[in-house]
Amino acid sequence: AQTVTQSQPEMSVQEAETVTLSCTYDTSESDYYLFWYKQPPSRQMILVIRQEAYKQQNATENRFSVNFQKAAKSFSLKISDSQLGDAAMYFCAYRSTGANSKLTFGKGITLSVRP
Amino acid sequence: ETGVTQTPRHLVMGMTNKKSLKCEQHLGHNAMYWYKQSAKKPLELMFVYSLEERVENNSVPSRFSPECPNSSHLFLHLHTLQPEDSALYLCASTRDRTHEKLFFGSGTQLSVL
């Protein structure tokens, strides 16, 4: 079974600085999808970024980018120019490519942004 | 208007009570999900409905009873819950049941006394 590990429960970053959130996963599959979801204090989770394992290019969405290391099974999220609104819980998730495959989530990491 | 709406936002209930959680999506999606979020644990998928048919039940105790009367509405009926059932219950929807790009509601924070 696939597992997703987020080993850091909390991180803090200074406003306007860059922070990297770590995620590792375990799978025997060669093709799959990886996601980062953000859960702000409002509790409504939103998709931040998505990566397809067969694509070598790292996904980027504005200030958010990933460092996908397939051989190391590592999928970290980099937030550049951190803003106060980035304070939230961030969840890493994995999904295989099967039609009915489920998302497997990590435990999440709480990011605080210092003004 | 948010795409997925959940009510109530907070709920406190005794172990002998019966209550229901409601979820409504305005996105025209065909699949809806219930997740349980407990502190310091990964999200747990409870139920999946696709086109109003329950397609997945992840060994959830029978004291949780889902209902999907149409593709826009999802309920979670609760009865004789235990204190360990206290958690944030999240509803989500997707265009189809591929679990691709989930749209979440804001959840119901449930406390069982």
Side-chain angles (χ1 to χ4, degrees):
Chain A
Q2 293 84 13
T3 58
V4 177
T5 302
Q6 295 178 254
S7 57
Q8 305 156 302
E10 298 178 354
M11 285 196 74
S12 179
V13 64
Q14 189 74 36
E15 193 175 7
E17 297 293 308
T18 295
V19 64
T20 298
L21 310 181
S22 302
C23 173
T24 59
Y25 58 93
D26 188 26
T27 184
S28 58
E29 298 173 337
S30 59
D31 199 13
Y32 46 86
Y33 303 100
L34 295 163
F35 307 83
W36 278 98
Y37 278 86
K38 171 186 177 182
Q39 186 178 40
S42 67
R43 305 186 321 208
Q44 187 169 29
M45 293 179 67
I46 57 173
L47 179 64
V48 175
I49 203 163
R50 172 183 180 272
Q51 175 79 41
E52 298 172 39
Y54 69 87
K55 290 187 177 179
Q56 294 184 343
Q57 186 174 7
N58 289 324
T60 299
E61 289 287 342
N62 300 314
R63 297 182 295 107
F64 298 87
S65 62
V66 298
N67 183 5
F68 174 48
Q69 301 289 328
K70 191 172 184 179
K73 296 180 182 175
S74 171
F75 183 62
S76 59
L77 176 69
K78 186 172 82 171
I79 306 174
S80 303
D81 185 26
S82 297
Q83 301 175 0
L84 296 178
D86 295 333
M89 280 201 76
Y90 287 82
F91 293 89
C92 180
Y94 168 103
R95 184 175 78 80
S96 58
T97 56
N100 301 326
S101 297
K102 299 178 290 187
L103 274 176
T104 299
F105 286 89
K107 293 183 180 181
I109 177 172
T110 300
L111 176 67
S112 59
V113 180
R114 304 186 301 274
Chain B
E1 178 183 317
T2 58
V4 181
T5 304
Q6 287 188 246
T7 55
R9 186 166 174 81
H10 301 276
L11 178 63
V12 179
M13 60 186 290
M15 289 190 286
T16 58
N17 292 157
K18 290 185 180 181
K19 296 287 184 183
S20 296
L21 310 185
K22 179 182 176 182
C23 177
E24 182 175 3
Q25 58 97 0
H26 311 277
L27 301 167
H29 288 170
N30 290 321
M32 297 185 77
Y33 310 75
W34 280 116
Y35 280 89
K36 177 182 179 182
Q37 183 179 6
S38 303
K40 303 188 188 308
K41 293 177 68 175
L43 268 71
E44 301 172 51
L45 179 63
M46 300 175 71
F47 301 104
V48 181
Y49 274 83
S50 176
L51 296 171
E52 303 153 39
E53 176 187 353
R54 190 192 309 180
V55 295
E56 192 151 348
N57 176 346
N58 282 330
S59 302
V60 180
S62 59
R63 56 186 183 268
F64 294 91
S65 174
E67 177 190 4
C68 187
N70 55 64
S71 60
S72 298
H73 293 85
L74 184 65
F75 295 89
L76 188 62
H77 303 299
L78 316 172
H79 63 97
T80 60
L81 294 191
Q82 304 298 311
E84 59 265 29
D85 296 323
S86 298
L88 179 66
Y89 288 86
L90 291 166
C91 174
S93 70
T94 52
R95 179 170 49 85
D96 51 42
R97 59 174 293 198
T98 59
H99 298 247
E100 187 70 27
K101 193 173 183 181
L102 289 160
F103 287 78
F104 284 88
S106 297
T108 295
Q109 185 65 55
L110 173 67
S111 297
V112 182
L113 304 178

